[in-house]
Amino acid sequence: AVGIEMCPGAVVTAAIEIDALACKVYAANHPGTEVAKIDRSEPAEAARRLQSLGMQWDCCQLSPPCGDYSRMGSRVEGPNAELTVKAFELVARLGIPTWIMENVPEYKESVAWRRAARQLRRDGYGWAEARANSKDHGVPQERKRSFVLGAMGASQQELQRFPAALAEIAGTRPFMTVAEALPDVKDAFYLPPSARTPGEGVGVRASAAVPGRRGAQWSGIAPTLTTGCGTHTSALTYAPRRHDVAPIT
């Protein structure tokens, strides 16, 4: 939503999410936006509830779950992958003329996307894909994603302006470090151990930070976070570490 809000003239009027806690967080950060707890796996009911808001939309932004596509996920398509198909069915039911989808680049290899693409063609949409790394656009994290812009009745010549424009602005903003993005975090920046960050974890904020250090360094750019969104440390098994910003209780 923040990216859409940065577009001149764009106003975000509604958002949907199935997780109640996520809805509360979104509502707290976007007080002027209608937030609805809706199950996207039932497009007909979802469309009915959204139509009851009495709004019409020029564009929607979609971020279907990527766990079934991602290299860090199962790579086995199941209910999460099916939500990609259901999301575009919802778009068609609402008659939204323009959409943009964000996902991992591997979405393109999925059966779910091939099904969605056939549906989109039948509904009169064309689309173009662009790929971007967040670090090239002022975000202090290495994160490669695909963005697909679709529009009803648009020609490929018109649509190809999107990837061309994104490529043109990539790298034009100065790199931002973790320290610059989180100026109020005074103690530490911690990432769990991984192949790239072995041992206890790295990223301690130091007064003598080395300029230009990459990876998870406080003075550099964070790597893509690879922990499962649905996996949380248990308070029963949690052991405090000196780099933790706060304990888990």
Side-chain angles (χ1 to χ4, degrees), residues 6 13 24 35 62 84 87-88 92 130 137 166 182 220:
M6 292 171 66
T13 56
K24 289 182 179 179
V35 184
L62 310 163
T84 298
F88 285 113
H137 297 273
L166 193 58
L182 304 173

Side-chain angles (χ1 to χ4, degrees), residues 19-249:
D19 184 85
L21 181 57
C23 286
K24 289 182 179 179
V25 172
Y26 189 96
N29 285 285
H30 303 273
T33 301
E34 182 80 29
V35 184
K37 184 178 181 296
I38 290 178
D39 184 356
R40 202 171 60 216
S41 67
E42 299 292 341
E45 174 61 16
R48 185 193 66 78
R49 287 193 57 192
L50 286 168
Q51 287 165 342
S52 71
L53 298 176
M55 301 180 184
Q56 287 189 322
W57 296 282
D58 299 310
C59 182
C60 71
Q61 187 270 325
L62 310 163
S63 294
C66 65
D68 292 357
Y69 312 140
S70 172
R71 286 178 295 174
M72 302 305 299
S74 65
R75 303 304 297 271
V76 176
E77 294 185 43
N80 281 342
E82 185 67 17
L83 287 174
T84 298
V85 181
K86 299 296 186 181
F88 285 113
E89 182 181 336
L90 176 58
V91 169
R93 283 178 177 272
L94 293 171
I96 300 175
T98 310
W99 50 263
I100 185 164
M101 180 186 77
E102 171 271 335
N103 215 303
V104 294
E106 291 81 6
Y107 85 91
K108 206 169 185 177
E109 304 164 12
S110 69
V111 173
W113 169 248
R114 289 196 290 271
R115 289 174 55 211
R118 287 195 296 270
Q119 176 183 304
L120 286 165
R121 290 190 186 97
R122 288 195 299 267
D123 292 332
Y125 290 99
W127 61 87
E129 181 197 44
R131 296 192 179 187
N133 192 325
S134 57
K135 71 179 178 63
D136 295 326
H137 297 273
V139 178
Q141 186 185 32
E142 181 92 21
R143 194 175 188 87
K144 298 176 182 178
R145 288 294 181 268
S146 288
F147 295 87
V148 189
L149 175 67
M152 188 177 290
S155 69
Q156 274 301 308
Q157 183 177 1
E158 292 173 307
L159 290 166
Q160 288 302 321
R161 293 166 56 190
F162 169 60
L166 193 58
E168 185 176 347
I169 65 173
T172 57
R173 292 186 179 183
F175 282 122
M176 180 181 287
T177 68
V178 175
E180 290 168 338
L182 304 173
D184 296 329
V185 178
K186 304 298 183 184
D187 298 322
F189 170 72
Y190 177 78
L191 288 177
S194 68
R196 293 183 61 182
T197 60
E200 186 183 6
V202 296
V204 182
R205 181 172 184 170
S207 57
V210 180
R213 288 287 292 275
R214 309 285 285 188
Q217 299 299 321
W218 186 261
S219 57
I221 296 171
T224 299
L225 302 180
T226 56
T227 53
C229 295
T231 304
H232 304 286
T233 302
S234 168
L236 297 176
T237 59
Y238 168 72
R241 295 160 293 194
R242 66 186 180 88
H243 294 332
D244 290 350
V245 174
I248 294 176
T249 57

